[in-house]
Amino acid sequence: MQIGRKIYYDKLTGNVIVDTGERQGAVVPTTIEQDFQTYAALAERVPETVGVLELEFGQYAQDFAECSSYRVDVSGETPTLVFSYPDPSDPEAPPVYQRPLSEQIAEVRAENLTIMEAIAELYEMIVGGDGA
C-alpha cells in the first residue's frame, strides 16, 4: 500500500504545521482526527484554524526533493502548495514562493507542443500549396 503525504497548515498564514510524509508497505491510512491525536503540533491547535492538503503518493516528488522550503498559499479561493527553490547564484537570497516547477514545466511543454503543431500546419500549407 502507498499513502501520500498530508500537509497540515495554518489557515491564516499558510505556514506548514505538520507534513506526515509519504508511506508505503504495511501502512494504514489515518483520518484527520487520528492525526490530531498523534502529532503534538496538531494536538495543541484548534482544529478549525488548521487546513490540510492531501497529496497522492509521489505527487510533487521532484519539487520536494529540489526545494529549499514550501508553504501553502492561502490568498486565493483554493489553498495551493507553493515552493521556494535555491538560487545557486545567490544562496543567501530570501525565499521566493512559486507554483511547483513540475507544473510550470508541464505547462511549457504543452505550449511548446501547440506551437510545434501550428508550425507544422503552416509548413504544410506553404509547401503543400505550391502545386508540387
Side-chain angles (χ1 to χ4, degrees):
M1 166 161 271
Q2 296 179 325
I3 299 173
R5 66 178 73 215
K6 285 189 249 178
I7 298 175
Y8 290 91
Y9 62 93
D10 183 293
K11 284 183 175 181
L12 191 60
T13 65
N15 292 333
V16 174
I17 301 166
V18 170
D19 179 342
T20 63
E22 296 183 324
R23 298 174 302 233
Q24 64 181 342
V27 293
V28 177
T30 58
T31 65
I32 292 171
E33 292 77 19
Q34 288 171 321
D35 289 345
F36 266 86
Q37 293 171 356
T38 303
Y39 296 99
L42 292 175
E44 62 191 26
R45 300 291 302 251
V46 175
E48 292 76 27
T49 67
V50 177
V52 62
L53 293 177
E54 297 188 51
L55 304 180
E56 298 294 323
F57 186 86
Q59 187 175 3
Y60 303 127
Q62 188 68 29
D63 296 288
F64 282 111
E66 301 288 331
C67 77
S68 52
S69 63
Y70 58 95
R71 59 188 312 278
V72 178
D73 181 358
V74 294
S75 64
E77 280 187 34
T78 305
T80 56
L81 200 54
V82 290
F83 293 86
S84 175
Y85 301 94
D87 182 352
S89 62
D90 188 5
E92 300 300 316
V96 175
Y97 292 95
Q98 58 185 301
R99 287 180 28 233
L101 282 179
S102 59
E103 286 181 0
Q104 293 180 51
I105 290 169
E107 194 173 280
V108 168
R109 285 182 176 156
E111 289 172 0
N112 188 41
L113 180 60
T114 301
I115 291 168
M116 296 302 286
E117 289 171 346
I119 290 171
E121 285 179 27
L122 284 173
Y123 180 78
E124 280 299 315
M125 287 173 58
I126 293 169
V127 174
D130 67 2

